[in-house]
Amino acid sequence: MSAICGIVSLDGRPVVPSHLSAMVARCQHRLVDEVFYHHQAGIGMACLSRDTSSDGTGVCRPETLQDDQWVLAADARLDNREACLAWQPSTFTLQEATTDGHLMLGTLLHDPQGGPGRLIGDFAYALWDGGQRILRLARDAMGMRSLYYRVESGRILFATEVSQILAVEGVRRRANRLAMAWHLSDMQTPPGCTFFEGIDEVLPGEEVEIDACGRVRRRVIWKPDPGERLHYRDSGDYAEHFRSLLVEVVRCRSRVASPAAISLSGGMDSGSVASIAGWLAEQGAYMPALRAYSWAFTQHPECDERDNIYRLARRFSIPVKEVPAEETYPLMDLSAYVPDEDGPFNLIYQGFVDKVLRGAAVDGCRSVWFGFRGDVVVGGSTHDLADLVREGRWREARHELAGLRHGHGLSRTRGLWRFGIRPVLDDALSLLTRPVRQAPFSDALLSAYCPRDRLPSFVTPDLALRAGLPDRDPLVADSNAWSRASSRERYRQIFSPLVMSVMRLTERQCATHGLVRADPWSDRRLAAFVLACPQHRVSSIRQPKRLAREAVRGIMPDEALQHSRKVMPTPLYEHAIRHLVHDRVLDLMTDSRCAALGLIDEAQFRTLFRRHCRGDLQAVDFWPALSLELWLRRWWA
């Protein structure tokens, strides 16, 4: 994927070319087609272009207007190109292969305030206004592209990756202890909190404006509307509406060269994407030829989904390349777990992702599709008994409550309180006390959203206080704009910092193989629809991913749809840490960097880990500490 970077001298002095070159060189791990530079008085920009489009519209290069008064550098895939065409200045020359960046510049100049929010797609851009000497930085609302910046006394640095900023002469590398504490708190490091002091992140759905005096002004350019509600008389209309959106978001990501890879499982998320792509191709729409890469389990048959994978693949003639799961045991091949300098976040099953990307690149693919966000958009643990009761659907509410009670092992009384009474009480108090209350009633009972409570017991007791970890997760406060508990929960899932980190990591990993990452489920139109939809229409304990299933009925093969289910490859991880990498884990946490920094108690970690490996099923997640240790050893030796 492409990348951008630049330097702005606040006093107008020429940018030192070697400083910009250092930012470009730091991105050598990205496979790009060409690097485009732009220099003028007081600014220097570079675009590292990787055009994976089928029509040449994805070239990333500086776009200029009015004798370089306006300069735009954008890493982007624009989905509403036709709408943007109507917003172009009359002085613009438009061609069939006009780049996405060119259309973005025209849209931003047409409406400087509203233009950024009109852009639909995955993007990050830097817009220089030479007349007012103002730099504007912005990202898409779903966080699919990264953008960081640093404001110093005499200059502004911005880049796709933190490491590019660190490569510039004069920038000090100072680790951010607060970010490390957040990482240990279930890897929920919030957007904007980087692992280096003095370097900030443009938040998803935000525009940052920096003037010639170095003053920073931030504003939201798009967020889902908490007041939007969907009320259809016919329940089938929800699925029909959602189906049209799913088809559109898959179509938007089809503007890539053929073939394209897809990480295909036997579940709904990637399965629906593959099915819609195959169905669109049958309708005569352009679709890149898909090649599937899927896990093949032999030692853990309970995780194997090949039967359902092939039901779908045969229907749409998608060739499948099997990746033996036993070759991807976590931490067996440490070369697949080399952490990015930007931060310690890594996936437990990164070994599988790495093999998918290597295989796709060897097979000539220029893009790879995932279904990463499907679970949080249409699945997850969001339930809405209250809305069922409001609609008079008493029988369905009773069955749903029974399923939730049994699933969580609760008595009738405790189940009724947790899933029935408390959410209703929460919603009522939220309406009555807003805006004087900072949080709804039940937020005080949601320990999962208190970062201090999420810290594992082997973390040093005073770390939260020393690092400044807050009592309440900012995502909780952000979600309080929604009046209903179920909508707040859905919002927290979709915009989870953990999910944002997955998006950032997979973009980097894809870029190292010359691939563009596409995740149709990470589309703001889907997020806005689901948040406006009654949550019992989206998913239920008796009908997981109900909305998605109804939407792809008739597109996804019936047998594949019937057998699709959520399968977690947890046995692969458990077998690895108990039997294959047990000693490696203990070695990592002996004389560790984490302990040297006062982050964890090594003895407590090893005690809990040994107990876990002996079969003590305590709820302890060791991965945040292990990934942090790998990062500290690699970048802070």
Side-chain angles (χ1 to χ4, degrees), residues 229 381-386 390 418-428 430 434 440-443 446 449 479-480 482-493 531 535:
R229 293 283 186 273
S381 57
T382 299
H383 308 288
D384 195 357
L385 286 177
R390 290 188 195 98
R418 178 173 173 180
F419 298 110
I421 297 174
R422 198 178 81 183
V424 172
L425 182 62
D426 187 5
D427 291 349
S430 176
R434 187 168 295 173
F441 169 71
S442 67
D443 279 356
L446 295 174
Y449 296 105
S479 67
N480 287 338
W482 271 261
S483 61
R484 293 184 179 176
S486 58
S487 298
R488 289 196 294 276
E489 179 61 32
R490 179 66 64 187
Y491 180 87
R492 291 164 185 161
Q493 291 184 14
L531 285 166
Q535 290 305 303

Side-chain angles (χ1 to χ4, degrees), residues 105-181:
L105 177 57
T107 302
L108 295 173
L109 297 187
H110 172 77
D111 184 1
Q113 288 299 308
R118 293 184 177 186
L119 301 174
I120 298 177
D122 303 346
F123 64 83
Y125 70 75
L127 176 62
W128 172 248
D129 178 353
Q132 300 187 54
R133 294 195 61 78
I134 289 176
L135 178 68
R136 293 183 174 89
L137 309 171
R139 290 174 68 195
D140 66 272
M142 304 304 287
M144 302 302 285
R145 298 288 196 271
S146 300
L147 192 57
Y148 302 91
Y149 65 97
R150 175 180 171 87
V151 180
E152 300 178 343
S153 59
R155 64 182 179 182
I156 307 166
L157 310 173
F158 67 87
T160 296
E161 299 186 17
V162 170
S163 57
Q164 294 173 271
I165 296 176
L166 295 172
V168 179
E169 183 180 333
V171 176
R172 293 182 58 190
R173 296 174 82 254
R174 294 179 297 180
N176 185 352
R177 186 176 292 266
L178 174 59
M180 295 183 197

